[in-house]
PDB file of all heavy atoms in Angstrom:
ATOM      1  N   GLY A  48     -16.164  15.328  25.344  1.00  0.00           N
ATOM      2  CA  GLY A  48     -16.891  15.531  26.588  1.00  0.00           C
ATOM      3  C   GLY A  48     -17.591  16.863  26.716  1.00  0.00           C
ATOM      4  O   GLY A  48     -17.855  17.326  27.838  1.00  0.00           O
ATOM      5  N   TYR A  49     -17.919  17.506  25.597  1.00  0.00           N
ATOM      6  CA  TYR A  49     -18.730  18.731  25.649  1.00  0.00           C
ATOM      7  C   TYR A  49     -20.134  18.389  26.164  1.00  0.00           C
ATOM      8  O   TYR A  49     -20.607  17.252  26.020  1.00  0.00           O
ATOM      9  CB  TYR A  49     -18.825  19.358  24.261  1.00  0.00           C
ATOM     10  CG  TYR A  49     -17.641  20.215  23.883  1.00  0.00           C
ATOM     11  CD1 TYR A  49     -16.472  19.652  23.363  1.00  0.00           C
ATOM     12  CD2 TYR A  49     -17.684  21.597  24.034  1.00  0.00           C
ATOM     13  CE1 TYR A  49     -15.381  20.432  23.010  1.00  0.00           C
ATOM     14  CE2 TYR A  49     -16.599  22.397  23.669  1.00  0.00           C
ATOM     15  CZ  TYR A  49     -15.455  21.812  23.167  1.00  0.00           C
ATOM     16  OH  TYR A  49     -14.379  22.591  22.819  1.00  0.00           O
ATOM     17  N   ASP A  50     -20.801  19.383  26.742  1.00  0.00           N
ATOM     18  CA  ASP A  50     -22.147  19.170  27.276  1.00  0.00           C
ATOM     19  C   ASP A  50     -23.227  19.198  26.208  1.00  0.00           C
ATOM     20  O   ASP A  50     -24.368  18.802  26.467  1.00  0.00           O
ATOM     21  CB  ASP A  50     -22.472  20.240  28.324  1.00  0.00           C
ATOM     22  CG  ASP A  50     -21.529  20.178  29.519  1.00  0.00           C
ATOM     23  OD1 ASP A  50     -21.366  19.084  30.083  1.00  0.00           O
ATOM     24  OD2 ASP A  50     -20.958  21.231  29.881  1.00  0.00           O
ATOM     25  N   GLY A  51     -22.899  19.680  25.031  1.00  0.00           N
ATOM     26  CA  GLY A  51     -23.886  19.769  23.957  1.00  0.00           C
ATOM     27  C   GLY A  51     -23.285  20.487  22.775  1.00  0.00           C
ATOM     28  O   GLY A  51     -22.078  20.743  22.728  1.00  0.00           O
ATOM     29  N   VAL A  52     -24.143  20.812  21.808  1.00  0.00           N
ATOM     30  CA  VAL A  52     -23.700  21.557  20.633  1.00  0.00           C
ATOM     31  C   VAL A  52     -24.626  22.738  20.387  1.00  0.00           C
ATOM     32  O   VAL A  52     -25.786  22.754  20.810  1.00  0.00           O
ATOM     33  CB  VAL A  52     -23.657  20.680  19.354  1.00  0.00           C
ATOM     34  CG1 VAL A  52     -22.699  19.512  19.507  1.00  0.00           C
ATOM     35  CG2 VAL A  52     -25.045  20.200  18.963  1.00  0.00           C
ATOM     36  N   GLU A  53     -24.080  23.741  19.717  1.00  0.00           N
ATOM     37  CA  GLU A  53     -24.887  24.786  19.093  1.00  0.00           C
ATOM     38  C   GLU A  53     -24.833  24.523  17.602  1.00  0.00           C
ATOM     39  O   GLU A  53     -23.747  24.473  17.010  1.00  0.00           O
ATOM     40  CB  GLU A  53     -24.334  26.172  19.398  1.00  0.00           C
ATOM     41  CG  GLU A  53     -25.083  27.290  18.648  1.00  0.00           C
ATOM     42  CD  GLU A  53     -24.558  28.672  18.979  1.00  0.00           C
ATOM     43  OE1 GLU A  53     -24.641  29.061  20.166  1.00  0.00           O
ATOM     44  OE2 GLU A  53     -24.045  29.349  18.066  1.00  0.00           O
ATOM     45  N   VAL A  54     -25.975  24.347  16.983  1.00  0.00           N
ATOM     46  CA  VAL A  54     -26.035  24.062  15.556  1.00  0.00           C
ATOM     47  C   VAL A  54     -26.009  25.370  14.778  1.00  0.00           C
ATOM     48  O   VAL A  54     -26.918  26.197  14.915  1.00  0.00           O
ATOM     49  CB  VAL A  54     -27.296  23.262  15.192  1.00  0.00           C
ATOM     50  CG1 VAL A  54     -27.420  23.124  13.677  1.00  0.00           C
ATOM     51  CG2 VAL A  54     -27.257  21.886  15.850  1.00  0.00           C
ATOM     52  N   MET A  55     -24.967  25.562  13.996  1.00  0.00           N
ATOM     53  CA  MET A  55     -24.922  26.668  13.042  1.00  0.00           C
ATOM     54  C   MET A  55     -25.669  26.223  11.787  1.00  0.00           C
ATOM     55  O   MET A  55     -25.235  25.289  11.107  1.00  0.00           O
ATOM     56  CB  MET A  55     -23.476  27.023  12.695  1.00  0.00           C
ATOM     57  CG  MET A  55     -23.331  28.020  11.548  1.00  0.00           C
ATOM     58  SD  MET A  55     -23.851  29.687  11.976  1.00  0.00           S
ATOM     59  CE  MET A  55     -22.400  30.257  12.867  1.00  0.00           C
ATOM     60  N   VAL A  56     -26.792  26.852  11.510  1.00  0.00           N
ATOM     61  CA  VAL A  56     -27.570  26.503  10.321  1.00  0.00           C
ATOM     62  C   VAL A  56     -26.935  27.215   9.133  1.00  0.00           C
ATOM     63  O   VAL A  56     -26.917  28.441   9.068  1.00  0.00           O
ATOM     64  CB  VAL A  56     -29.046  26.909  10.476  1.00  0.00           C
ATOM     65  CG1 VAL A  56     -29.839  26.527   9.226  1.00  0.00           C
ATOM     66  CG2 VAL A  56     -29.649  26.253  11.712  1.00  0.00           C
ATOM     67  N   TRP A  57     -26.391  26.422   8.214  1.00  0.00           N
ATOM     68  CA  TRP A  57     -25.735  27.018   7.045  1.00  0.00           C
ATOM     69  C   TRP A  57     -25.859  26.089   5.864  1.00  0.00           C
ATOM     70  O   TRP A  57     -26.851  25.359   5.759  1.00  0.00           O
ATOM     71  CB  TRP A  57     -24.299  27.415   7.361  1.00  0.00           C
ATOM     72  CG  TRP A  57     -23.391  26.319   7.895  1.00  0.00           C
ATOM     73  CD1 TRP A  57     -23.704  25.017   8.138  1.00  0.00           C
ATOM     74  CD2 TRP A  57     -22.027  26.486   8.255  1.00  0.00           C
ATOM     75  NE1 TRP A  57     -22.614  24.360   8.635  1.00  0.00           N
ATOM     76  CE2 TRP A  57     -21.566  25.231   8.716  1.00  0.00           C
ATOM     77  CE3 TRP A  57     -21.149  27.558   8.225  1.00  0.00           C
ATOM     78  CZ2 TRP A  57     -20.258  25.027   9.150  1.00  0.00           C
ATOM     79  CZ3 TRP A  57     -19.849  27.343   8.659  1.00  0.00           C
ATOM     80  CH2 TRP A  57     -19.416  26.100   9.117  1.00  0.00           C
ATOM     81  N   THR A  58     -24.892  26.101   4.952  1.00  0.00           N
ATOM     82  CA  THR A  58     -25.069  25.409   3.677  1.00  0.00           C
ATOM     83  C   THR A  58     -24.975  23.895   3.787  1.00  0.00           C
ATOM     84  O   THR A  58     -25.376  23.193   2.863  1.00  0.00           O
ATOM     85  CB  THR A  58     -24.023  25.910   2.657  1.00  0.00           C
ATOM     86  OG1 THR A  58     -22.707  25.775   3.226  1.00  0.00           O
ATOM     87  CG2 THR A  58     -24.261  27.386   2.328  1.00  0.00           C
ATOM     88  N   ASP A  59     -24.435  23.352   4.869  1.00  0.00           N
ATOM     89  CA  ASP A  59     -24.429  21.907   5.083  1.00  0.00           C
ATOM     90  C   ASP A  59     -25.881  21.437   5.206  1.00  0.00           C
ATOM     91  O   ASP A  59     -26.591  21.848   6.132  1.00  0.00           O
ATOM     92  CB  ASP A  59     -23.654  21.591   6.366  1.00  0.00           C
ATOM     93  CG  ASP A  59     -23.583  20.098   6.666  1.00  0.00           C
ATOM     94  OD1 ASP A  59     -24.277  19.306   5.993  1.00  0.00           O
ATOM     95  OD2 ASP A  59     -22.839  19.717   7.587  1.00  0.00           O
ATOM     96  N   PRO A  60     -26.361  20.572   4.314  1.00  0.00           N
ATOM     97  CA  PRO A  60     -27.774  20.145   4.361  1.00  0.00           C
ATOM     98  C   PRO A  60     -28.175  19.534   5.692  1.00  0.00           C
ATOM     99  O   PRO A  60     -29.319  19.688   6.120  1.00  0.00           O
ATOM    100  CB  PRO A  60     -27.867  19.123   3.215  1.00  0.00           C
ATOM    101  CG  PRO A  60     -26.764  19.490   2.277  1.00  0.00           C
ATOM    102  CD  PRO A  60     -25.656  20.009   3.147  1.00  0.00           C
TER     103      PRO A  60
END
Side-chain angles (χ1 to χ4, degrees):
Y49 277 83
D50 298 309
V52 300
E53 175 178 298
V54 173
M55 171 71 80
V56 180
W57 56 0
T58 54
D59 181 350

